[in-house]
Amino acid sequence: MITLNILHLYPKEMNLYGDHGNILTLKRRAEWRGYKVNIIEHHVGDKIPDNIDIIFGGGGQDSGQSKIEDDLRKNAKQLKKLIDNDVPCLVICGLYQLFGDYFQTAEGQKITGISILKSHTIAGPTRLIGNIVINSPEFGEVVGYENHSGLTRLDDDAKPFGIVVSGAGNNGEDMTEGEIYRNCIGTYLHGPILPKNPRVADYLLLKAIQNQDPKIDKLKPLNDNIELHAHSVAAKRPR
Ligand code: GLN
């Protein structure tokens, strides 16, 4: 029987606008298909085990990002190794920013990131707040909620998670939202993102399961009527 070890990075400091719901979604959607799930909470000072199947980290205030900065840097090598071994990963907002090169706050404090994603972020003059809809080549329409001061610029060779349909996304200017590197998705979408976008949840689960058993080519389908209804309600909300 396959067991999935899901690493939850900094649940105390990095958990905004329902981000924890992403963990519940991954756990439930895996269990509904008969897989066993262990949630491994990583707090500052803990050691990250080697046998991680999915990495998840949420958003946080600038002060939360500051608190975890050193610990994240200490674990950068191992996180990079996991992601370069195609372990699926989802990082939202504050951790999305710190998986890139750095986040510079409105006060000018530079919080150093771990450069797994190819981007850097500098706080802008106003916060970008509201409902957001994006279009992604892999997942189609993805809906969520954003609230960030940071304006993220992707390096030229980075691949965005999607293109903004309504909302701001990475910086409110170039229409990009988030980034995908290997099986790692960085995005500004809170909400939480996974309950309303089950295709994204299943992408992470399938990649994790295939890493253990490459013969599995698809997940058992679930009845997603409620999830898809929630998706379409969210997509119609005004910005
Ligand atoms: N503190 C960061 C910013 O304001 C991230 C915010 C968040 O995670 N929602 O840009």
Side-chain angles (χ1 to χ4, degrees):
M1 197 220 309
I2 289 183
T3 298
L4 297 179
N5 292 321
I6 302 181
L7 181 71
H8 187 178
L9 292 171
Y10 314 110
K12 277 204 302 231
E13 295 85 357
M14 306 299 285
N15 177 27
L16 287 178
Y17 318 115
D19 284 342
H20 179 64
N22 294 312
I23 289 283
L24 300 179
T25 301
L26 290 171
K27 182 167 159 37
R28 271 288 198 262
R29 294 183 75 82
E31 287 172 349
W32 281 333
R33 286 147 165 148
Y35 301 111
K36 202 173 160 317
V37 172
N38 283 327
I39 309 293
I40 298 153
E41 291 194 353
H42 175 82
H43 298 282
V44 168
D46 291 349
K47 191 182 158 345
I48 297 179
D50 290 324
N51 56 342
I52 293 300
D53 298 293
I54 301 181
I55 300 165
F56 171 74
Q61 295 175 356
D62 299 4
S63 57
Q65 291 171 287
S66 252
K67 284 185 197 143
I68 60 123
E69 176 184 12
D70 289 346
D71 188 82
L72 185 65
R73 284 232 302 280
K74 278 186 201 136
N75 288 290
K77 230 170 115 189
Q78 194 183 355
L79 290 168
K80 174 129 179 74
K81 193 171 113 197
L82 288 166
I83 287 167
D84 281 339
N85 282 333
D86 286 331
V87 169
C89 163
L90 174 67
V91 279
I92 315 283
C93 202
L95 272 171
Y96 162 44
Q97 295 172 345
L98 296 187
F99 268 50
D101 292 343
Y102 63 86
F103 169 47
Q104 186 177 305
T105 69
E107 291 72 40
Q109 183 197 355
K110 197 164 175 178
I111 305 176
T112 310
I114 55 176
S115 302
I116 291 176
L117 297 176
K118 299 170 183 181
S119 64
H120 65 275
T121 303
I122 299 177
T126 50
R127 294 193 75 81
L128 304 173
I129 306 173
N131 298 310
I132 170 164
V133 179
I134 66 168
N135 223 310
S136 125
E138 284 86 359
F139 308 105
E141 184 181 79
V142 182
V143 296
Y145 170 80
E146 62 184 325
N147 184 346
H148 51 109
S149 68
L151 306 178
T152 298
R153 305 275 167 194
L154 301 182
D155 294 358
D156 288 343
D157 57 344
K159 187 175 149 206
F161 176 42
I163 300 301
V164 174
V165 177
S166 69
N170 279 337
N171 49 58
E173 283 176 7
D174 67 11
M175 308 292 282
T176 63
E177 204 301 305
E179 182 184 342
I180 291 203
Y181 167 73
R182 301 186 84 100
N183 295 329
C184 182
I185 301 172
T187 176
Y188 274 111
L189 272 59
H190 298 280
I193 179 175
L194 294 183
K196 294 190 286 291
N197 299 284
R199 230 189 261 175
V200 182
D202 282 357
Y203 165 89
L204 299 168
L205 290 173
L206 182 60
K207 294 288 180 196
I209 286 159
Q210 286 177 328
N211 284 342
Q212 291 200 29
D213 183 353
K215 290 195 301 297
I216 298 178
D217 62 350
K218 56 178 182 308
L219 296 173
K220 203 174 111 208
L222 299 174
N223 178 342
D224 278 335
N225 288 347
I226 292 173
E227 288 79 356
L228 296 177
H229 181 66
H231 177 109
S232 67
V233 170
K236 288 188 207 103
R237 280 189 191 137
R239 162 72 185 166

